[in-house]
Amino acid sequence: MSDNAVKEVRYIWAINQALSEEMERDEDVILLGEDVGAPGGAFGASRGLFEVFGPERVMDTPISESAFMGLAAGAAACGLRPVVEIMFMDFMTVCMDAVVNQAAKMRYMFGNQYTLPLVIRTPAGAGLAAGPQHSQSLEAWFAHVPGLKVVMPATPADAKGLLKSAIRDDNPVLVVEHKALHAMKGPIPDGEHLVPIGQAQVLREGDDVTLVSAGRMVHQALKAAEELAGEGLGLEVIDLRSIQPWDKETVFASVAKTHRLVIAQEAVKAFGFGAEVAATVAEEIMDELDAPIGRVGAPFVPVPFGLEGAYLPGSGQIAQAARQAAEGGF
Amino acid sequence: MATKAKSAAKPRLGPKKLIELYRSMLRIRRVEETLTEVFSAGEIPGFLHVCLGQEAAPAAVCSQLKVADYVGTTHRGHGHALAKGVDLKRFMAELLGRSDGFCLGRSGSMHLADASRGVLGANGIVGAGIPIAAGAALAAAKKYPGRVAVAFFGDGATSQGAFYETLNMASLWKLPLILVCENNGWAEFTPQQVHMPGEDVVDKAAPFGVATASVPNDVLQIYQAAGQALKRARAGGGPTLLEVKCDRWHGHYVGDAQKYRGSEAVETAMAEDCLASFEAQLKKDKVLTKAQANKIDKQIQAEIAEALEFARSSPPPQAEALMEGLYV
C-alpha cells in the first residue's frame, strides 16, 4: 500500500482508531466513562480497547458524571491524559460544574500552574428519534466558556484527526460527535493522521455565497450546494470543524470573495455559533457584505421525539437561505 | 456545633514533632488573625473565609504529608495551604491580589493553589474539590505509587452529590484518598440540624465500604487517625473518611455578624480552643515552656510581618497579563 493510500472507514471506527493509536503512543492516556470498558461504549467507540489495554486504562465508571468529570480534571492536572466519554451530550448538564467551573478555569485561575490535557467526547444531535433529552446540540454553551476548546468533526477523517489532536492538546477539549454520523463511511489517510484544532476546511469552492456550517449540517450544506449548482448558483461550503477557536481567516477570505454569507447549524438558532460567526462578520467586515447574513438553525423548542422531521433543519432550508442571500441586497 | 466525638488513641510523639505541630497551629492562628485585620482595613478585596478555631486538622494531617502528596481544599483553605508548606510571602501576595501571588493575583483567597507544594487548589464551589482530589489520587495510583491525595471539606459539602459519588468510586477503585471532613456544624449560614439528619458525617460512608474515623478537635487524636488513614492509603488499602468534630468561630466569612447564631453560641465555640488546650497540655507535660512559646510566637509574627510587607510591595497584575495563559 502506498503512503498516500486511503481507506474507507466508519466514523465510529475512526474514533476507535484514534483512541487506540493514542493509547498505544502514550501510556498516560486513559479512558473513563459509562460502559466504555468491556461493553465497548454505548455507540461502540471503545470496542476492543478494554481487551487490549485492560481495566486499568479503560475504566468503566458508575453513572456519576458529576464526580467522574471532576476526577478527570484532577487527574489531568496531575499528569494523566483522560479521555472521558459522556454518552449523550445532554448528560453534560450533569457535570457542568466540573467542566465549566473547574476544568476550564484551572489553568488560568491558578496562574498557569497546570496544564489540563482533558478530552471530553460526546455524541450530540438529533435524527435518531432519541427524544428531547438525548438529542441536543449544546456546543455553543461550551464555546462560550474561556478555557475550553470545542471541535465538531463532520467526517470520519476529521473524527480521527481532531480527536488525536485533542488528546495531544494540553487544554480541555470537547469533541462533539454527531451520533447520526457514527455509521457514515469515509476515506481516512493511511498512517498518522492529525487535524489541527481551529482550522476550517473549504469543502467546495464557489463564487456566489459562502456557506458556513459544522458537524452533521456540513452534509446538508453540501447537498444544498449541489442542488443550487443546478440553478447556476456557486456555493462555497466551509466546514468549520472547530467552533472554539473558529477559523475567522478562512471565513473572512471566503466572504471577501462571495460577499454573501449563510451559516447553518443543527442547534436551535438562537444564541448558537452561527450568531457568533454572523456577529463577527458584521462587526469586522461589514463592508464586504452585499446582502444580509442568513442563518439556519432549529426552531426554539426541545427536540420532539415524533416530530424530528419538522424540527431538524436541512438542505432545503439552507438552499432557501442561500437563494435569499444571493438575491438580497441592502 | 457538632457533637463531641469519642476520645481516640493518641500517638506517642517526640518533643520535636509536638513543637512542630504547635508551631503549625499557631502560625495558622496568627495568619488568620492578621488577615482578619488586613481584610477589615480594606486591603483585601472580595470575600475572606478564615479557619480560626479549626487549626488542628490542617496541622495534624498535613504534617504527615510529603511535598509531592496532594491536598484539595476549600473556600476556608488557608490553614490547609499553610500546613502543606506554601511560601507565606507568595500566599500573602495572592490574597492581596498581587502579581507575586502563586496564581499571579488571579485566584485570591478562595482559589489559592500552589502546585509546587501539592496544593491542588482551593475551591469556590462547595464539594467540588472532592472529586478533583480523587482524580489526583487516581494519577498518584497510576503514576506515583505511594503518593496520596487528601480532600478537605466541611459538613456542608457532604450534602453534595459529588461527595457520595466520589465515596463510591474511591471505594470501588481503592484510591489512595483521605477525605477529611471538618465538621464544624455549619453549612454557610445554616446550622447542621437544618442541613443534615444526624450529626455524624462518618455515618454517610457506611454504604460505600469506606474506612472511617471520627475524632474531636484535638490535634493528637486527629494526628493518630490521619496517620492510620495515610498508612492504609499508601499501602493500597483504599480511602478513609476522617471526620473532625470542630467548631467555627468567625461565621461564614470575615464580617459575618452571626446574628443567626447568637453571641452565647459563639462564646461557647471560642471556649473550645484546640490551640489553647494543646498549648496547656504541652506546658503541663513540660514539652513547651512559656519562654519557648513566646519565642515561637515572635518568630511567627516576624515572618507574617515580612510576608505582608512583601505582598504590599508586590505590584498589582498588569492589564497586559489579562489574556496570558488561558490556553497552553
Side-chain angles (χ1 to χ4, degrees):
Chain A
M1 194 172 281
S2 67
D3 286 348
N4 56 1
V6 291
K7 280 183 199 156
E8 287 280 320
V9 174
R10 284 193 198 280
Y11 189 102
I12 194 75
W13 280 108
I15 293 162
N16 186 276
Q17 279 181 12
L19 295 172
S20 176
E21 287 175 16
E22 292 306 300
M23 291 185 78
E24 189 68 50
R25 190 186 60 81
D26 183 348
E27 62 178 20
D28 288 336
V29 177
I30 59 164
L31 306 189
L32 284 162
E34 293 149 8
D35 308 322
V36 299
F43 293 96
S46 53
R47 205 173 295 159
L49 302 181
F50 182 83
E51 289 75 7
V52 175
F53 299 102
E56 294 291 314
R57 292 183 65 197
V58 185
M59 304 183 74
D60 269 322
T61 63
I63 303 175
S64 303
E65 287 88 354
S66 172
F68 71 70
M69 189 64 80
L71 177 141
C78 296
L80 293 176
R81 305 185 82 85
V83 180
V84 177
E85 176 175 305
I86 296 293
M87 193 186 290
F88 287 82
M89 189 173 204
D90 315 71
F91 307 167
M92 291 292 294
T93 55
V94 185
C95 51
M96 284 302 267
D97 172 64
V99 176
V100 175
N101 290 323
Q102 312 300 332
K105 294 182 176 43
M106 280 172 79
R107 176 171 174 78
Y108 183 88
M109 172 170 79
F110 296 146
N112 315 340
Q113 293 184 70
Y114 295 110
T115 55
L116 256 291
L118 169 67
V119 175
I120 306 162
R121 285 184 41 246
T122 192
L128 301 182
Q133 296 172 340
H134 286 70
S135 302
Q136 295 170 87
S137 297
L138 302 172
E139 66 278 352
W141 288 5
F142 300 94
H144 191 65
V145 178
L148 301 179
K149 294 185 181 181
V150 182
V151 302
M152 295 177 70
T155 63
D158 285 353
K160 180 173 182 180
L162 283 169
L163 179 54
K164 282 172 72 84
S165 294
I167 292 172
R168 296 184 193 190
D169 201 295
D170 280 335
N171 304 286
V173 184
L174 179 65
V175 181
V176 183
E177 300 162 6
H178 200 298
K179 53 187 169 291
L181 297 179
H182 275 161
M184 171 200 174
K185 270 190 172 176
I188 295 186
D190 208 26
E192 184 84 311
H193 174 59
L194 293 162
V195 173
I197 293 171
Q199 216 171 78
Q201 190 175 24
V202 179
L203 293 179
R204 182 186 175 115
E205 292 190 9
D207 294 325
D208 299 323
V209 177
T210 297
L211 194 45
V212 173
S213 63
R216 191 187 69 97
M217 285 300 269
V218 167
H219 304 286
Q220 299 297 313
L222 286 168
K223 206 171 150 194
E226 192 61 39
E227 188 186 325
L228 293 186
E231 298 175 17
L233 209 54
L235 262 57
E236 179 140 301
V237 178
I238 298 176
D239 176 3
L240 276 184
R241 305 202 284 191
S242 301
I243 64 158
Q244 181 58 266
W246 63 278
D247 187 349
K248 216 162 79 170
E249 207 177 311
T250 297
V251 173
F252 279 18
S254 180
V255 172
K257 182 171 74 171
T258 64
H259 308 292
R260 291 162 198 276
L261 173 64
V262 169
I263 308 135
Q265 64 184 39
E266 184 181 310
V268 289
K269 190 163 104 178
F271 298 90
F273 73 77
E276 178 64 19
V277 173
T280 308
V281 167
E283 199 171 41
E284 297 185 27
I285 53 165
M286 183 69 183
D287 53 358
E288 292 286 1
L289 290 171
D290 289 344
I293 299 167
R295 277 196 295 152
V296 174
F300 197 62
V301 289
V303 185
F305 166 67
L307 263 176
E308 273 193 334
Y311 171 88
L312 265 177
S315 60
Q317 280 163 273
I318 297 173
Q320 188 50 37
R323 279 188 206 102
Q324 213 173 325
E327 291 158 9
F330 292 111
Chain B
M1 67 169 282
T3 51
K4 292 235 169 27
K6 278 183 210 145
S7 227
K10 295 194 182 189
R12 289 167 190 268
L13 297 178
K16 202 176 154 199
K17 190 75 191 178
L18 291 168
I19 299 281
E20 181 198 316
L21 287 171
Y22 171 73
R23 185 185 178 83
S24 177
M25 288 172 70
L26 183 62
R27 188 161 173 265
I28 296 167
R29 171 74 52 91
R30 293 292 182 243
V31 168
E32 296 290 56
E33 287 169 350
T34 305
L35 288 173
T36 301
E37 284 168 26
V38 173
F39 178 82
S40 304
E43 273 193 82
I44 297 176
F47 302 101
L48 192 75
H49 309 83
V50 294
C51 66
L52 287 164
Q54 298 180 211
E55 297 87 349
V61 175
C62 295
S63 73
Q64 300 181 76
L65 298 179
K66 296 170 184 162
V67 174
D69 289 330
Y70 303 107
V71 165
T73 171
T74 71
H75 58 285
R76 203 177 306 289
H78 304 157
H80 312 128
L82 292 168
K84 188 66 173 49
V86 305
D87 177 72
L88 189 60
K89 287 180 182 169
R90 298 194 65 196
F91 169 92
M92 284 291 187
E94 188 57 53
L95 265 73
L96 266 65
R98 303 304 172 92
S99 56
D100 288 304
F102 299 116
C103 307
L104 314 177
R106 291 173 182 171
S107 80
S109 161
M110 205 154 32
H111 313 283
L112 190 91
D114 177 9
S116 74
R117 286 288 177 279
V119 178
L120 292 168
N123 213 303
I125 309 296
V126 171
I130 300 172
I132 290 174
L138 180 71
K142 291 200 184 301
K143 286 178 74 84
Y144 320 105
R147 204 180 274 189
V148 301
V150 176
F152 285 100
F153 51 94
D155 47 319
T158 69
S159 297
Q160 287 279 21
F163 167 69
Y164 299 94
E165 294 178 18
T166 304
L167 277 175
N168 189 41
M169 273 192 288
S171 176
L172 281 168
W173 298 350
K174 286 206 176 309
L175 294 180
L177 178 68
I178 295 93
L179 298 146
V180 182
C181 179
E182 291 171 86
N183 181 354
N184 67 15
W186 290 94
E188 304 194 1
F189 312 101
T190 301
Q192 190 158 86
Q193 65 270 23
V194 178
H195 79 78
M196 65 181 252
E199 296 168 333
D200 301 312
V201 166
V202 282
D203 290 348
K204 300 188 178 193
F208 301 101
V210 169
T212 60
S214 184
V215 291
N217 195 21
D218 173 286
V219 67
L220 295 181
Q221 291 183 59
I222 303 168
Y223 188 98
Q224 177 78 4
Q228 287 168 352
L230 287 163
K231 200 173 160 192
R232 181 180 300 118
R234 291 194 203 283
T240 302
L241 173 63
L242 169 58
E243 174 183 22
V244 178
K245 300 268 196 179
C246 52
D247 212 331
R248 191 179 76 188
W249 288 7
H250 272 218
H252 178 46
Y253 54 79
V254 176
D256 173 4
Q258 303 197 74
K259 283 182 182 162
Y260 51 88
R261 197 177 178 189
S263 57
E264 203 177 307
V266 177
E267 279 165 28
T268 311
M270 292 182 73
E272 298 276 341
D273 183 342
C274 59
L275 177 60
S277 59
F278 186 43
E279 185 178 323
Q281 187 63 46
L282 292 179
K283 284 176 176 166
K284 190 178 153 211
D285 294 345
K286 305 211 185 307
V287 173
L288 180 75
T289 64
K290 199 175 173 186
Q292 267 176 308
N294 286 341
K295 192 179 160 196
I296 291 169
D297 201 1
K298 272 192 183 157
Q299 284 169 345
I300 288 170
Q301 303 270 21
E303 187 199 3
I304 293 171
E306 196 188 347
L308 199 52
E309 185 47 42
F310 172 85
R312 283 170 172 153
S313 60
S314 170
Q318 297 300 297
E320 296 81 64
L322 181 69
M323 300 306 293
E324 279 173 13
L326 178 61
Y327 296 99
V328 180

